[in-house]
Amino acid sequence: MAKQAKGKGKKSGVKKVGPLPVHPRRLVSTKNTSLPISVFDNVMKQVDEACVQLKLDPNLQEFLKMPRRSSIAYLPVQMDDGSHRMFPAYRVQHSIARGPAKGGIRYHPGVTLDEVQALASWMTFKSAVVNIPFGGGKGGIQCDPTKLSRGELERLTRRYVADLMNVFGPELDVPAPDVGTGPQVMAWFMDTYSMREGHPSPAVVTGKPTSMGGSLGRTEATGRGVMISTREAAKHLGLDLATATASVQGFGNVGSISARLLHELGVKFTHVSDVTGAVYNPDGIDIDGLSEYVTRTGSVLGYQGTTQIKPEEVLTAKVDILIPAALESVITDKNARRIKCKIIAEGANGPTTPGADKILNKKGIMVIPDILCNAGGVTVSYFEWVQNRIGYFWSEDEVNRRLEEKMVAAFGDVLAMSLEHEVSMRIAAFMVAIERLIEVVQLRGIYG
Ligand code: NAD
């Protein structure tokens, strides 16, 4: 395959450009990106299934998938050594039907337009499932942020905002951090946008430092949402969390915080892994102690009272709750049969493949899908935007109380849809999101 492509390129010198892509699946294929191949195809399979359940008009189905607008820019940046480099950069608004596009900006060498389009569509469904007035967006710059100096990162970020100034705005498109970006990049983003507008405009971006308009509770929000949805699932299944056991893959922001909050409800974590390996303690791991240990050493390995196990065992452990909170496509048709838990709480985006989903459904395992389970983050991003617009800031308790309300309502809506149509929680979540989206699309109509 690679050989053939090479030969072709040599012969013609110029890549042939075919007709414009008409099918969104091809348009947003995730090949050669920082995502594993087919994550977007996986999402679209689920969208298709939900549309069939909803008996949706095929015209609307196509409308649902295509991004509203994709912008490309090539950013010239002066490097520290005086040379100039061009960085490809993207911003995609998948949908603004329910409100401004919302979604992170990724700095990664594998970023492509296709990937950004895929991730933007995911955000549309996630925002709709928790019923916040946002659409879906995503952005990215093809770069390796670990190899750029602070000055280079700042100039790259400011140039990105300046070049794509017209597509952003508190009412139009509100970015946030993603892989390779964080509060500092958001601060530069806000400053550049504000300078060009001529006044402070904090609501143009979320995930800012709290000293300049970021929301309290944002760092914990995704893990807190995972805890809330897991607690609701346990309630539905009659599982007592005070005696429940759990395992977590990934011990970063989402994994460690959801583990800590569930641990506070009595859940005993016996298996934990991160990129360095996996550990086990049948009597339960002290999650606070492990968090401090990981901060100090950078690894879960060697934590007191634990023994090292194979990373795969974290997924197949005999526990009540499994939280994949690291990577995409880790639960597949190869290992799904060996999974023994009662609840899978998808902290990560896309950890389960459609093949695995079928097996898990047959086994009667309740999968809380990513677009519901990890939506606490985008929900508190919405709260940040609201606080910026009203110019009044809530206490952390207030943020957590409102997050609790949103997550419990969303979980209830998805569960009710799942029971009514006898479909998995994942398909039900897409159905809830698509119904909300389509209602607005039909009310607004198509202009022109
Ligand atoms: P993070 O970088 O803080 O943590 C990632 C963790 O995964 C680290 O502990 C890392 O060691 C571990 N990891 C990496 N490769 C691994 C492997 N092969 N096996 C086991 N562990 C591995 O990232 P995060 O913010 O916690 O995000 C985790 C997942 O949650 C991602 O899929 C992300 O897209 C998703 N997510 C995050 C948020 C958020 O607000 N942070 C919101 C929604 C979804």
Side-chain angles (χ1 to χ4, degrees), residues 356-374:
D357 243 347
K358 287 204 179 81
I359 299 167
L360 299 172
N361 281 340
K362 270 197 197 135
K363 284 171 73 111
I365 295 173
M366 182 186 239
V367 180
I368 313 169
D370 45 13
I371 60 168
L372 168 64
C373 193
N374 69 33

Side-chain angles (χ1 to χ4, degrees), residues 218 222 249-254 273-275 325-327 347-349 374:
R218 174 62 188 90
T222 306
Q249 182 194 50
F251 205 67
N253 174 280
V254 179
S273 72
D274 68 8
V275 71
L327 307 171
N349 283 319
N374 69 33

